[in-house]
Amino acid sequence: SQSPPIRRPLQHMEKYVAEQTYKPPPGHGEVAVPSTHEDIRGAVHNLRIGGFRFNVLVSRSGVLRSGDVHPCRQFDMIFQGRVQVTTREEGRDVNRMYNSGDLVVIPPHIPHIFAFLDETVMAEWWDGTFDAHYYRPYRQRVDEVMRRMAREAQHAEARAPLRTSQRRREAHALDPNG
């Protein structure tokens, strides 16, 4: 089921959008190709075939990505999984659902954020040179989810030795020779 197309943007960014954008930290988009970037969300494989630049993303369920805006169109092909894409259009957030086999087309100057509802594999590419500015309201959400996931991972690691020693005590208590 294909979601309705994203509305054509204004010739330039809406004033509110422009006021909420900022240049990402060094390294965003400026990566070696080929390369792979892995973090708590999954992996981004940065690739080039001929002169064509694209990424293949493997994203865990529950993560957010993007939170940015580009001066050119972005295309995303969903190979596996379900994604909710939120775009900022005419002063409001618009949510669309995409599934395996769907193509997402995001016009230039439209802020967007991806919420991965399942483990998802997708490819992304642009019809111009990659350039991105973060859109503050969406990027703050991406960063908060990453911080939460990092805290949860640290808590799980901290509990792991406790669970191991607890299992040993329980096994020892059940051992008829112990």
Side-chain angles (χ1 to χ4, degrees):
S1 66
Q2 189 68 24
S3 293
I6 297 169
R7 292 186 200 189
R8 303 234 5 111
L10 302 173
Q11 290 295 345
H12 51 81
M13 268 188 264
E14 295 175 32
K15 184 179 180 194
Y16 173 80
V17 170
E19 291 171 349
Q20 292 293 319
T21 62
Y22 62 99
K23 196 71 178 156
H28 179 87
E30 302 164 9
V31 297
V33 177
S35 66
T36 300
H37 171 76
E38 294 185 52
D39 63 25
I40 199 152
R41 298 171 296 176
V44 177
H45 304 274
N46 305 287
L47 305 166
R48 185 181 315 277
I49 295 179
F52 187 69
R53 167 82 158 76
F54 66 99
N55 297 332
V56 174
L57 294 85
V58 179
S59 300
R60 294 183 174 99
S61 177
V63 305
L64 300 177
R65 287 191 186 272
S66 243
D68 57 9
V69 60
H70 310 285
C72 55
R73 285 187 303 173
Q74 177 173 321
F75 301 89
D76 298 273
M77 181 69 199
I78 313 302
F79 297 116
Q80 170 190 316
R82 291 182 310 132
V83 180
Q84 176 180 296
V85 179
T86 302
T87 55
R88 185 74 179 175
E89 301 173 47
E90 299 177 358
R92 65 187 182 94
D93 290 334
V94 179
N95 297 308
R96 293 178 178 83
M97 296 295 298
Y98 295 93
N99 299 296
S100 299
D102 287 343
L103 176 67
V104 180
V105 180
I106 301 171
H109 308 296
I110 297 291
H112 51 278
I113 187 171
F114 293 82
F116 296 92
L117 306 176
D118 296 325
E119 183 166 313
T120 300
V121 177
M122 70 182 215
E124 66 179 3
W125 64 98
W126 303 267
D127 68 355
T129 302
F130 178 85
D131 183 39
H133 279 78
Y134 284 163
Y135 177 61
R136 192 174 321 280
Y138 290 173
R139 193 61 203 188
Q140 287 173 339
R141 291 170 48 193
V142 171
D143 294 342
E144 178 52 39
V145 167
M146 287 181 63
R147 284 191 296 271
R148 187 193 78 230
M149 292 179 76
R151 283 192 306 269
E152 290 170 357
Q154 287 175 340
H155 290 246
E157 287 177 19
R159 287 190 308 264
L162 177 63
R163 285 193 300 263
T164 302
S165 62
Q166 183 178 356
R167 277 190 230 114
R168 284 189 194 127
R169 284 193 305 275
E170 289 169 357
H172 184 70
L174 295 174
D175 183 358
N177 298 321

